[in-house]
């Protein structure tokens, strides 16, 4: 009798082990066919537009204007023409420089700021944390005119030209990226054990040494998340880049906007080149996500479980 009961308990435990079929059946919220249908529908919402953009980029302008989904003739000429007609090379170079600098500097400053806000007690600490949340709720459209007036007046009062420069756009993006990046790092650092820092201090490490040797290596998922979101802020922005840049300093998003506006009113717009340029501009972001995907999962879920 005892052997039979033990065998039953062992069988039940094995059936509910992590990854077992029975466990998935118990924890599944939706029936299998319904779940598969929802996943197929969601994937179709994403993949069908992307497939259409790619097929239109290898199609002729007349074919796209006639509503062809599958092109009658495949050609990669549009991918060669965009570098001269759209001016995409300059735009991509400016976007990589500005967005990359914003991501690196924002991630570096946010981890230092978050470390101070999480590990030290001082007057105004809670006010600073609440201010980070408040700054994220301010729409960027409300800040376009004040930022433009402030930067344009610097040429008169300080003799420093900010409008039309890459570093002026970098400062603008850094101002909006810092609150979100800092809050991400605050959430992440709250989940790191203090015992590691105390052990490092016992060994004689300074505050900077603890930050560089202990906190920084353990915070890569959060740093990657804050850096990627800061990068996307500079890469996708059109509003600030359109009013604060010149033709030689405009980003890829502005180059696409200018090219699309120039095609309005024409006989047959250059649909193929517009689609090809859109895919080329989206490729760096997709590659970035694929490279840092494992860090993104850990960084976005940090602080969710205590």
């Amino acid at each position: 009798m005892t052997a039979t009961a033990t065998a039953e308990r062992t069988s039940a435990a094995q059936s509910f082990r992590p990854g077992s079929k029975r466990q998935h059946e118990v924890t599944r919220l939706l029936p299998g066919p319904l779940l598969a249908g929802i996943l197929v529908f969601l994937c179709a919402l994403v993949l069908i537009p992307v497939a259409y953009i790619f097929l239109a980029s290898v199609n002729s302008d007349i074919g796209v204007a006639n509503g062809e989904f599958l092109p009658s003739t495949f050609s990669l000429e549009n991918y060669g023409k965009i570098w001269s007609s759209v001016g995409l090379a300059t735009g991509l170079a400016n976007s990589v420089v500005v967005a990359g600098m914003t991501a690196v500097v924002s991630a570096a400053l946010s981890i230092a700021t978050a470390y101070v806000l999480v590990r030290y007690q001082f007057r105004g600490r809670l006010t600073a944390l609440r201010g980070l949340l408040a700054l994220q709720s301010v729409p960027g459209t409300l800040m376009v005119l004040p930022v433009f007036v402030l930067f344009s007046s610097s040429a008169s009062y300080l003799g420093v030209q900010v409008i039309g420069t890459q570093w002026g756009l970098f400062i603008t993006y850094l101002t909006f990226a810092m609150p979100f990046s800092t809050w991400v790092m605050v959430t992440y650092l709250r989940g790191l054990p203090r015992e590691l820092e105390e052990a490092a201090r016992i060994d004689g490490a300074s505050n900077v040494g603890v930050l560089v040797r202990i906190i920084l290596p353990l915070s890569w998922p959060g740093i990657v998340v804050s850096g990627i979101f800061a990068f996307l802020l500079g890469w996708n922005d059109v509003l600030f880049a359109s009013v604060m840049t010149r033709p030689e300093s405009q980003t890829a998003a502005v180059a696409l906007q200018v090219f699309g506006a120039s095609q309005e009113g024409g006989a047959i717009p250059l649909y193929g080149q517009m689609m090809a340029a859109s895919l080329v501009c989206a490729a760096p972001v997709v590659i970035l996500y694929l490279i840092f995907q494992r860090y993104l999962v850990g960084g976005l879920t940090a602080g969710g479980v205590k």
Side-chain angles (χ1 to χ4, degrees):
M1 182 68 179
T2 305
T4 305
T6 303
E8 291 177 353
R9 287 196 298 268
T10 304
S11 177
Q14 290 179 353
S15 63
F16 281 94
R17 68 182 186 274
S20 64
K21 181 178 179 181
R22 187 173 179 182
Q23 184 193 34
H24 287 301
E25 291 177 353
V26 173
T27 58
R28 181 178 293 169
L29 299 178
L30 297 175
L34 180 59
L35 181 61
I38 293 175
L39 292 177
V40 170
F41 175 74
L42 294 177
C43 291
L45 287 178
V46 177
L47 295 179
I48 290 178
V50 174
Y52 175 77
I53 293 174
F54 172 74
L55 293 175
S57 67
V58 297
N59 197 0
S60 62
D61 298 328
I62 298 178
V64 178
N66 291 332
E68 295 180 358
F69 185 81
L70 294 176
S72 55
T73 58
F74 288 84
S75 177
L76 298 177
E77 293 181 357
N78 294 322
Y79 288 92
K81 294 178 180 179
I82 57 177
W83 304 104
S84 57
S85 59
V86 183
L88 203 58
T90 303
L92 285 175
N94 292 329
S95 292
V96 169
V97 171
V98 175
M101 289 176 57
T102 304
V104 173
V105 176
S106 176
L109 293 179
S110 64
I111 186 173
T113 306
Y115 180 72
V116 174
L117 292 174
V118 172
R119 291 295 190 255
Y120 295 93
Q121 298 292 333
F122 54 91
R123 181 176 298 179
R125 173 178 170 272
L126 293 178
T127 304
L129 290 173
R130 293 165 183 167
L132 292 176
L133 292 177
L135 289 174
Q136 295 181 47
S137 62
V138 178
T141 53
L142 297 179
M143 303 300 296
V144 175
L145 184 58
V147 170
F148 178 80
V149 173
L150 177 64
F151 284 176
S152 60
S153 61
S154 63
S156 302
Y157 294 102
L158 302 178
V160 179
Q161 182 65 35
V162 180
I163 301 296
T165 61
Q166 291 181 346
W167 67 270
L169 195 61
F170 156 72
I171 293 176
T172 304
Y173 292 155
L174 184 64
T175 303
F176 291 95
M178 275 296 298
F180 178 82
S181 298
T182 304
W183 189 255
V184 169
M185 294 310 305
V186 165
T187 305
Y188 190 86
L189 293 182
R190 283 175 175 172
L192 295 182
R194 294 175 178 265
E195 291 77 10
L196 297 175
E197 304 172 35
E198 296 173 356
R201 286 193 173 90
I202 292 175
D203 293 336
S206 62
N207 292 332
V208 177
V210 170
L211 178 61
V212 174
R213 298 179 182 179
I214 305 299
I215 301 299
L216 187 62
L218 295 176
S219 304
W220 277 115
I223 294 173
V224 170
V225 170
S226 61
I228 287 182
F229 275 93
F231 182 87
L232 292 178
L233 174 66
W235 189 269
N236 295 329
D237 175 71
V238 179
L239 185 62
F240 286 93
S242 60
V243 300
M244 297 187 62
T245 59
R246 297 175 179 175
E248 61 273 10
S249 61
Q250 67 183 11
T251 60
V254 178
L256 286 177
Q257 182 194 36
V258 172
F259 180 72
S262 64
Q263 301 302 312
E264 297 179 359
I268 299 179
L270 302 177
Y271 291 115
Q273 295 185 35
M274 294 172 61
M275 299 300 181
S278 300
L279 287 180
V280 171
C281 290
V285 178
V286 175
I287 295 173
L288 197 65
Y289 269 102
L290 294 177
I291 294 175
F292 296 104
Q293 181 179 9
R294 63 191 183 97
Y295 292 105
L296 284 171
V297 175
L300 287 173
T301 57
V305 178
K306 288 293 185 181

